[in-house]
């Protein structure tokens, strides 16, 4: 089954404790991206990757890092989480020449 | 950059009625307009899209219209059913082969509409 898998689905952490949210896709897609979803703000892009070892900032990159060492994986790293990073996070992927984005099921992150 | 406004933020309709969600965009370079449906506890999923060379597109009970001159596009759902209850997002993009990315081919989302279909 074609899918984008995020882990964990839910995470509660404390301010300053480094964490990683994993994202993996099995569709051999070149393009991957991270979004955060907040009430009244919709989906905002954090980082994106056009291919292995190629990443760039989206609209709200502050406080986040990403890496793309393998085509299928695109982890989101929060080096020092803060309460304003409490949000619902989505990973998405898209194939080259295609227009449909496939989203993971989301990660609900709470930073206390 | 592109700015997409979406209204209303919440919409409640009776089963069988129609629902309309409206979006406006700011960048005249945008030429691809998808709509995504997000069910509770799931990620958004593409339900319909339209390109700027088309004024209307239908798929069973859903349709999308585009007024490129006014920079408006709308989602129409007819004969609503309880399973239509979800959050709907519109989006705009300059299109191309990498709309997931930033820069000139970025996918910009609206703020979402919570649709509730009541029995």
């Amino acid at each position: 089954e074609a899918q984008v898998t995020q882990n964990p689905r839910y995470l509660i952490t404390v301010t300053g404790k480094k964490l990683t949210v994993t994202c993996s896709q099995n569709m051999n897609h070149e393009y991957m991206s991270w979004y955060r979803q907040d009430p009244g703000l919709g989906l905002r892009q954090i980082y994106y990757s056009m291919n292995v070892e190629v990443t760039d900032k989206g609209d709200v990159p502050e406080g986040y890092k990403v890496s793309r060492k393998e085509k299928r994986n695109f982890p989101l790293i929060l080096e020092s989480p803060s309460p304003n990073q409490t949000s619902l996070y989505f990973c998405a992927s898209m194939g080259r020449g295609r227009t449909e984005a496939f989203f993971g099921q989301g990660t609900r992150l709470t930073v206390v | 950059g592109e700015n997409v406004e979406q209204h209303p933020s919440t919409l409640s309709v009776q089963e069988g009625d129609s629902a309309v969600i409206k979006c406006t965009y700011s960048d005249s370079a945008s030429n691809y307009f998808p709509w995504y449906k997000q069910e509770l506890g799931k990620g958004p999923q593409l339900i319909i899209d339209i390109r700027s060379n088309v004024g209307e597109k239908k798929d069973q009970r859903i349709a999308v219209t585009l007024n490129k001159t006014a920079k408006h596009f709308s989602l129409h759902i007819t004969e609503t059913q309880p399973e239509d209850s979800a959050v709907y997002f519109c989006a705009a993009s300059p299109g191309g082969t990498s709309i997931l990315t930033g820069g000139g081919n970025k996918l910009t989302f609206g703020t979402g509409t919570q649709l509730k279909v009541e029995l």
Side-chain angles (χ1 to χ4, degrees):
Chain A
E1 178 186 0
Q3 59 185 5
V4 178
T5 303
Q6 295 178 228
N7 280 295
R9 292 290 311 278
Y10 303 92
L11 179 59
I12 301 174
T13 190
V14 296
T15 299
K17 185 177 181 181
K18 180 180 179 179
L19 67 91
T20 299
V21 183
T22 63
C23 174
S24 180
Q25 50 94 6
N26 63 359
M27 295 168 280
N28 200 37
H29 284 169
E30 287 78 12
Y31 307 116
M32 298 187 74
S33 183
W34 277 101
Y35 293 87
R36 61 178 289 174
Q37 182 179 353
D38 301 289
L41 297 176
L43 291 158
R44 294 179 294 166
Q45 189 182 61
I46 303 170
Y47 266 94
Y48 66 93
S49 170
M50 296 178 68
N51 214 324
V52 176
E53 302 292 0
V54 181
T55 64
D56 208 345
K57 297 176 180 179
D59 288 327
V60 288
E62 293 76 22
Y64 305 95
K65 288 176 57 178
V66 294
S67 69
R68 188 90 182 274
K69 297 178 181 178
E70 304 168 285
K71 195 173 187 180
R72 64 182 294 129
N73 296 323
F74 190 43
L76 179 69
I77 304 157
L78 285 72
E79 295 271 3
S80 183
S82 62
N84 65 11
Q85 292 178 298
T86 292
S87 187
L88 179 58
Y89 291 86
F90 287 101
C91 178
S93 73
M94 183 187 298
R96 185 189 300 276
R98 312 296 293 183
T99 54
E100 180 176 1
F102 292 84
F103 285 83
Q105 291 201 307
T107 296
R108 172 88 52 193
L109 172 65
T110 302
V111 183
V112 298
Chain B
E2 176 64 276
N3 181 50
V4 178
E5 294 188 357
Q6 182 172 348
H7 299 281
S9 57
T10 60
L11 179 59
S12 184
V13 299
Q14 293 293 315
E15 182 180 8
D17 287 350
S18 295
V20 180
I21 302 170
K22 299 181 179 181
C23 289
T24 61
Y25 63 98
S26 62
D27 190 349
S28 57
S30 290
N31 60 17
Y32 174 69
F33 307 93
W35 286 88
Y36 283 77
K37 176 183 181 182
Q38 183 182 17
E39 297 179 341
L40 192 62
K42 297 184 178 180
Q45 187 171 13
L46 180 69
I47 55 172
I48 195 168
D49 56 15
I50 191 168
R51 293 192 177 275
S52 59
N53 58 349
V54 176
E56 183 176 2
K57 183 177 179 181
K58 290 183 179 180
D59 183 3
Q60 299 183 339
R61 295 186 298 107
I62 61 174
V64 57
T65 59
L66 171 66
N67 183 330
K68 195 167 173 62
T69 301
K71 297 191 180 72
H72 291 172
F73 59 111
S74 300
L75 178 71
H76 303 254
I77 306 174
T78 59
E79 301 173 19
T80 53
Q81 301 170 3
E83 53 264 38
D84 295 328
S85 295
V87 177
Y88 291 81
F89 290 99
C90 63
S93 168
T97 60
S98 58
I99 66 171
L100 196 64
T101 70
N105 291 327
K106 183 175 181 176
L107 191 64
T108 302
F109 286 91
T111 50
T113 296
Q114 174 73 62
L115 173 64
K116 183 178 181 181
V117 180
E118 299 176 334
L119 299 173

